[in-house]
Amino acid sequence: MNVITDFYQFKYSRDSYYIDLFINTKALLNIEQALDEMLSSFYTTKDEQCAYMRLKELFKSSRESTDSMYAEVRMNKCYLKYIKTLCYYFAYRVEYAPLKILNEYLQVFMIEDMENISSFINLNEDIKVRVLSNI
């Protein structure tokens, strides 16, 4: 008998949903600080909270796993919406300039893959949390 797989988890975990980036480790640390501030001081929905915690873990583990000036980050495209939202929260804060630069760079991917990303954005909150928790 075949194992039943969560369709959304399967769909959003395929290789075509990932972006490989090299990001300066100091910029990653700065973005982690923005994520900390967002998680501690603003109201966030369940899916935003899950995404921000997962992004923080991803950036921290990527940063700590290298001695180089740049860390390799393999990020799922589902997180693009959350980085964009985070960037808007801190748009006028000079100390979070690396976040703005990352967001501008990722806009290319968001435009290229708009159909798939918008299908994720339109899911209900519980499904988003389930997907984000497993990618």
Side-chain angles (χ1 to χ4, degrees), residues 28-44:
L28 281 177
L29 184 59
N30 181 274
I31 295 167
E32 288 173 46
Q33 291 169 347
L35 289 164
D36 278 339
E37 189 172 331
M38 176 63 92
L39 286 166
S40 65
S41 37
F42 292 100
Y43 168 78
T44 55

Side-chain angles (χ1 to χ4, degrees), residues 12-28:
Y12 294 108
S13 65
R14 294 180 299 169
D15 279 343
S16 61
Y17 277 88
Y18 283 88
I19 305 167
D20 293 314
L21 305 165
F22 284 95
I23 304 175
N24 183 294
T25 53
K26 289 181 182 178
L28 281 177

Side-chain angles (χ1 to χ4, degrees), residues 3-79:
V3 176
I4 298 173
T5 305
D6 181 344
F7 169 74
Y8 294 112
Q9 185 179 341
F10 167 75
K11 178 180 179 181
Y12 294 108
S13 65
R14 294 180 299 169
D15 279 343
S16 61
Y17 277 88
Y18 283 88
I19 305 167
D20 293 314
L21 305 165
F22 284 95
I23 304 175
N24 183 294
T25 53
K26 289 181 182 178
L28 281 177
L29 184 59
N30 181 274
I31 295 167
E32 288 173 46
Q33 291 169 347
L35 289 164
D36 278 339
E37 189 172 331
M38 176 63 92
L39 286 166
S40 65
S41 37
F42 292 100
Y43 168 78
T44 55
T45 61
K46 288 189 291 186
D47 64 303
E48 288 174 330
Q49 187 173 19
C50 179
Y52 295 144
M53 286 189 301
R54 298 285 291 184
L55 279 169
K56 185 176 180 228
E57 291 169 6
L58 173 67
F59 291 153
K60 184 178 180 180
S61 66
S62 296
R63 181 177 49 80
E64 290 177 345
S65 68
T66 186
D67 293 329
S68 173
M69 183 180 203
Y70 293 92
E72 184 175 358
V73 178
R74 183 169 171 82
M75 184 173 59
N76 193 291
K77 292 177 184 177
C78 294
Y79 291 115

Side-chain angles (χ1 to χ4, degrees), residues 69 91 108 132:
M69 183 180 203
V108 173
L132 292 169

